[in-house]
Amino acid sequence: MASFVDRVVLHAAGGDGGHGVASIRREKFKPLAGPDGGNGGDGGSVVLVVDPQATTLLEYHHSPHRRAPRGGQGMGDERDGAKGGDLVLRVPDGTVVKDRSGEVLADLVGAGTEFVVAQGGRGGLGNKALASPKRKAPGFALLGEPGEERDVVLELKSIADVALVGFPSAGKSSLVATVSAARPKIADYPFTTLVPNLGVVQAGDTRYTIADVPGLIPGASEGRGLGLEFLRHIERTAVLVHVLDCATLEPGRDPLSDLDALEAELAAYSGDLGISGGRVPLTERPRLVVLNKIDVPEARELAEFVRPELEARGLRVFEVSTASHEGLRPLTFALAELVEEARAAAPAPEATRVVLRPRAVDDAGFTVERRTDGSTGGVYFLVQGAKPQRWVRQTDFNNDEAVGFLADRLAKLGVEDRLLKTGAVAGDEVRIGTDADAVVFDWEPTMAAGVELLGARGTDLRLEDASRPTRGQKRKEYTERMDAKTAAREELWTERSAGHWADPSDD
């Protein structure tokens, strides 16, 4: 199994936020001393961080599902839940993050660069934080929000100054092994190199990296052979080197035809123009031609024969031999010169700008749309917005007081007024959220909003009254019932004494 993976699909999920708790402080001589429920902790996030020691995405190929820790639940005595720690995933330098549709989300270049893939959920507030002068002892708490879930594609694009381009067995791996300390696998059969190999070259005062990537064949830009697996790794390079095999024994191949095939594939390949290092087309980057294996007499003769035509095309040509090391020193210094020119021409890195995007004056933070259900033909009103949807996720619908609190918040935000303006009437169906996970309500615009209508803790008089009668209420009802029985008995005796109940046989 190959130990190098440069493309994986990562299923990331942020940690859920912890729930708040509804609790009442109990002290000596103060059985109900006020709310003391703590808040839930925030869930952890899934964060990608560039690590120079990482060289492959193999770890995420074997374990693609990653979830951050969830936040702890709040507790009584004003104790907040623990926050879930972030799940840090180490990725190689040059990793590109895309969504399923192929849109680039982040280009991670440089040690320490971070990107949050999945945000953790917020923790819910406890009843201590929800207390107010009017609602002194809330009988509910807010739920924690679920963490964000996202599927992303990670692609590794090697960071190198020079890329060696050539057919299989052209001698690219041997060239890297000769001019650097890298030791790639070298053999006399095609496609020996299956993964990119990086080497560091020191030429005078200039140090640069050189990449030996899998061999290129006609049709690679369309996915043939290693195809895009090869071309992806040369998008960021500043200099391209065409390594041409002058000692090949394959029929129909020669250095000139090989060069034409390589140039055609580079021209057909279109990289991600929005990624740093991929804006300049591959065909417009500085390039050199290396005529390799001149230690073979026939190869040296062929190199001397094709060199004038290559130079007529405006290309710098170097005749080298990795076996005898002939011509390697001039080649390394020529590459160093081109790399220095590319570095000098590169724009200076700009400081990160802090962009402030204030909310528009007429932006209410939510939208209300009148829609028709395609399956039933019924009309409903869809409410969408960050605040309404977050409030719905945090509401415990098993607690009437929490539902009433949600109604108060929505009314204060202006949702009811917007529904009236949109044409909603009593009894209409209202959905809050997306079509997939919306919460459905039967709207009652006449419902009063106010803390003064709250009943016992955990209840709301605006909703169905399921509260139990108190002892005083039971005593009052019993007294009224007994008084009614006594009055009925007295009325019965009065009628009997007046003779209204005479025996019918006496008539």
Side-chain angles (χ1 to χ4, degrees), residues 237-369:
T237 56
V239 181
L240 298 179
V241 177
H242 290 295
V243 181
L244 305 180
D245 186 2
C246 292
T248 180
L249 300 178
E250 297 183 20
R253 280 189 53 189
D254 60 79
L256 295 180
S257 62
D258 288 357
L259 179 62
D260 294 337
L262 294 175
E263 291 286 352
E265 293 304 320
L266 294 180
Y269 177 69
S270 57
D272 295 319
L273 300 181
I275 298 178
S276 176
R279 294 184 180 276
V280 180
L282 298 178
T283 55
E284 299 180 9
R285 299 184 191 181
R287 58 202 350 94
L288 298 177
V289 174
V290 171
L291 301 176
N292 196 16
K293 303 181 182 180
I294 62 173
D295 53 291
V296 180
E298 294 80 1
R300 184 183 296 272
E301 295 179 2
L302 181 59
E304 294 176 353
F305 177 76
V306 300
R307 178 169 186 152
E309 185 170 348
L310 294 175
E311 292 178 345
R313 298 184 183 185
L315 299 173
R316 297 179 62 180
V317 182
F318 293 85
E319 301 177 11
V320 303
S321 171
T322 57
S324 63
H325 293 194
E326 181 181 352
L328 295 181
R329 183 176 177 82
L331 174 63
T332 57
F333 278 88
L335 292 176
E337 179 182 353
L338 292 178
V339 169
E340 287 293 342
E341 293 178 358
R343 292 174 179 175
E350 298 181 359
T352 303
R353 296 182 179 181
V354 179
V355 180
L356 301 179
R357 295 183 175 88
R359 194 178 70 177
V361 177
D362 56 348
D363 184 10
F366 66 93
T367 59
V368 177
E369 298 181 12

Side-chain angles (χ1 to χ4, degrees), residues 33-356:
D36 67 346
N39 303 329
D42 296 337
S45 302
V46 181
V47 184
L48 300 179
V49 179
V50 174
D51 185 1
Q53 301 301 323
T55 58
T56 178
L57 301 174
L58 180 65
E59 178 182 358
Y60 313 116
H61 173 72
H62 293 311
S63 301
H65 296 271
R66 299 302 178 99
R67 178 179 290 276
R70 63 172 302 157
Q73 183 171 340
M75 294 172 284
D77 200 16
E78 302 181 16
R79 292 175 294 174
D80 295 339
K83 294 184 178 180
D86 292 339
L87 178 60
V88 179
L89 304 180
R90 309 289 177 179
V91 295
D93 193 5
T95 301
V96 179
V97 185
K98 300 180 179 180
D99 60 12
R100 286 287 196 172
S101 63
E103 180 182 357
V104 178
L105 303 177
D107 185 14
L108 305 180
V109 178
T113 305
E114 298 182 0
F115 175 71
V116 179
V117 178
Q119 188 72 38
R122 295 185 183 183
L125 297 179
N127 64 342
K128 173 64 177 179
L130 297 173
S132 64
K134 293 185 178 181
R135 183 184 281 104
K136 296 184 178 180
F140 68 98
L142 298 184
L143 304 178
E145 291 187 75
E148 180 185 8
E149 296 186 6
R150 179 189 288 182
D151 295 342
V152 295
V153 179
L154 305 182
E155 290 186 355
L156 175 59
K157 300 185 178 183
S158 301
I159 304 295
D161 299 308
V162 179
L164 302 183
V165 181
F167 273 65
S169 299
K172 302 182 298 299
S173 299
S174 301
L175 182 58
V176 172
T178 305
V179 299
S180 70
R183 291 296 177 263
K185 180 181 179 181
I186 300 174
D188 58 352
Y189 55 85
F191 293 111
T192 304
T193 304
L194 299 177
V195 301
N197 297 300
L198 296 179
V200 179
V201 181
Q202 184 74 38
D205 297 333
T206 303
R207 175 176 292 183
Y208 57 92
T209 56
I210 186 170
D212 162 32
V213 289
L216 184 65
I217 62 176
S221 61
E222 301 175 358
R224 185 182 177 189
L226 295 178
L228 304 180
E229 305 299 326
F230 158 74
L231 292 169
R232 181 189 307 133
H233 292 277
I234 65 175
E235 284 190 13
R236 302 180 188 273
T237 56
V239 181
L240 298 179
V241 177
H242 290 295
V243 181
L244 305 180
D245 186 2
C246 292
T248 180
L249 300 178
E250 297 183 20
R253 280 189 53 189
D254 60 79
L256 295 180
S257 62
D258 288 357
L259 179 62
D260 294 337
L262 294 175
E263 291 286 352
E265 293 304 320
L266 294 180
Y269 177 69
S270 57
D272 295 319
L273 300 181
I275 298 178
S276 176
R279 294 184 180 276
V280 180
L282 298 178
T283 55
E284 299 180 9
R285 299 184 191 181
R287 58 202 350 94
L288 298 177
V289 174
V290 171
L291 301 176
N292 196 16
K293 303 181 182 180
I294 62 173
D295 53 291
V296 180
E298 294 80 1
R300 184 183 296 272
E301 295 179 2
L302 181 59
E304 294 176 353
F305 177 76
V306 300
R307 178 169 186 152
E309 185 170 348
L310 294 175
E311 292 178 345
R313 298 184 183 185
L315 299 173
R316 297 179 62 180
V317 182
F318 293 85
E319 301 177 11
V320 303
S321 171
T322 57
S324 63
H325 293 194
E326 181 181 352
L328 295 181
R329 183 176 177 82
L331 174 63
T332 57
F333 278 88
L335 292 176
E337 179 182 353
L338 292 178
V339 169
E340 287 293 342
E341 293 178 358
R343 292 174 179 175
E350 298 181 359
T352 303
R353 296 182 179 181
V354 179
V355 180
L356 301 179

Side-chain angles (χ1 to χ4, degrees), residues 449-473:
V451 178
E452 66 276 3
L453 295 178
L454 293 177
R457 289 189 304 107
T459 63
D460 193 311
L461 298 180
R462 294 169 292 179
L463 305 174
E464 182 180 356
D465 187 9
S467 59
R468 299 174 58 184
T470 63
R471 182 177 300 177
Q473 292 173 343

Side-chain angles (χ1 to χ4, degrees), residues 374-438:
S375 58
T376 62
V379 176
Y380 67 94
F381 295 85
L382 181 64
V383 180
Q384 291 182 319
K387 285 185 177 180
Q389 293 178 226
R390 183 173 74 248
W391 293 345
V392 167
R393 291 193 298 266
Q394 293 178 331
T395 300
D396 180 10
F397 288 95
N398 295 323
N399 187 303
D400 291 343
E401 189 178 353
V403 177
F405 180 69
L406 172 63
D408 293 341
R409 301 176 86 178
L410 294 176
K412 186 176 180 180
L413 186 63
V415 175
E416 287 198 2
D417 295 339
R418 185 67 63 83
L419 286 171
L420 288 172
K421 294 179 181 178
T422 313
V425 296
D428 281 347
E429 180 179 320
V430 177
R431 303 180 185 179
I432 300 180
T434 60
D435 292 331
D437 57 354

